[in-house]
Amino acid sequence: MCGIIGVVSHSPVNQLLYDGLQLLQHRGQDAAGIVTSQGRTFHMHKGSGLARDVFRTRNMRDLLGNMGIAHVRYPTAGSASSSAEAQPFYVNSPFGVVLGHNGNLTNTDALRQELFRQDLRHVNTNSDSEVLLNVLAHELQESTSHHRLDVANIFQAVAGVHRRCRGAYAVVAMIAGYGMLAFRDPYGIRPLVVGKLETEQGPEYMVASESVALDALGFTLLRDVEPGEAIFVDEAGRFYSQQCAQRPLLSPCIFEYVYFARPDSVMNGISVYASRLRMGERLADKIRREFSHLDIDVVIPIPDTSRPSALQLANELGILYREGFIKNRYIGRTFIMPGQAVRKKSVRQKLNAMAVEFKGKNVLLVDDSIVRGTTSRQIVQMAREVGARKVYFASAAPPVRFPNVYGIDMPTRAELLATGRTDEEIRREIGADALIYQDLDALVAAVREGHPDIPRFDTSCFDGDYITGDVTEEYLARLEASRSGVAADPDGAGTRQLDLNLRTA
């Protein structure tokens, strides 16, 4: 998962972009980058680490111009340790184009070959985002008349990107001397919103992964960028938009609402916070139906994402809600840390259990999801160590049994605790006295209630139903081989043989 932002203003944008990255830092902690445009000159600074560590005063002074884009990276494709893959990426032909990308392409290998053999373009890193940039650059070149771009040419180029690229992509780009371009894949899997600020000099525009960036920086949320749509804002601040896909179908990633997005964001017309409250309501309904025999003394969330769900669940069941874990704010999100060893080490550094809330009690722990299970296992153990009599565990999401190939770092099936295991086997693995999973239809209903007109959601990590229709068993095997050579058991016991029935749209 990554965070992207772009601004066209009447005053310098360097501080706006930096502040926007801080607001989107939860979407990626591996690298950060900013590019600003001053006439036909780009100014770029990027590097590995948090935004606060990448940018110093001297760097900010060099980021001149009233238009710019920025990116925070969490590695999904390519190398997690390579600073060369920090975004935005740049190509000098045609015109000069920079691009930041949130998502993951599923036909990168084929595109890389096309670019080299047919388009005569060289891709220098393993990043699918650089592939996407070169596809866009080639399509811009093909659409250009007399070496001059107009808005129609730009939208024609985006249509060409849609024809060639598969997978998930929310994109923000700049074309030197022309303006800022943003577009979304035909399924709208990854989020992208656009906002406006009225000033004395005229309107200013911002695009961002989440609405929280607009709100905090004074912009008014206009709407989401539609699936397949492109918007273009020229250097003078004129706004253009056009649908560039032949058959768009809004299918946003439901895991954004479960875990990734900030609760104060609104995406696809749905409040993330309200959707998490509704997840708690539906989880309470399931406990009433199927787990009424459990004697629960207290509901405790695993901070931070699960708090709204846990609070609403407790309210619905009339059970005491308490904060039992204290979080160290200076440790990164364990789910997006590269490397299982780092993830295991960080859990106890990140959370500390308060014995006063656990001792002698039957505790229901609520988390947003269970992915690899490492964190869940250690948290259950922590609760027992401080005196909990019984430890029940509830997940606001269904079992994660399939890889997410659209931009979330869960690509190997053997890393997923639920793959090939029953709920009872999972319960034993994490050491809980009871395990309650949200049902998939209940999760979809909880999110869809915020926008009933959304035709479907991408739920592939729960049900193996891949909306783009090109994710096969062979594709997943190649992805896993490129990641680790073999699919390792998350508990270190060796490779498990997995028999999966993949469904494609």
Side-chain angles (χ1 to χ4, degrees), residues 360-422:
K361 298 176 183 176
N362 296 335
V363 179
L364 176 62
L365 303 180
V366 180
D367 207 350
D368 52 79
S369 59
I370 304 171
V371 181
R372 294 169 175 89
T374 307
T375 301
S376 305
R377 189 182 303 117
Q378 292 190 51
I379 287 173
V380 170
Q381 184 179 347
M382 288 167 62
R384 293 198 189 281
E385 289 173 356
V386 293
R389 187 168 62 240
K390 296 272 189 177
V391 181
Y392 312 126
F393 202 101
S395 168
V400 177
R401 302 189 187 278
F402 297 87
N404 184 298
V405 301
Y406 299 131
I408 297 176
D409 187 26
M410 49 171 90
T412 59
R413 289 165 286 186
E415 288 181 301
L416 304 176
L417 181 64
T419 301
R421 291 188 173 98
T422 65

Side-chain angles (χ1 to χ4, degrees), residues 23 28 67 81-82 252 290 292 316 354 365 386 439 491 493:
L23 292 160
M67 178 170 66
S81 61
S82 174
E290 302 178 26
S292 59
E316 289 287 315
M354 293 188 294
L365 303 180
V386 293
D439 294 326
D491 298 324

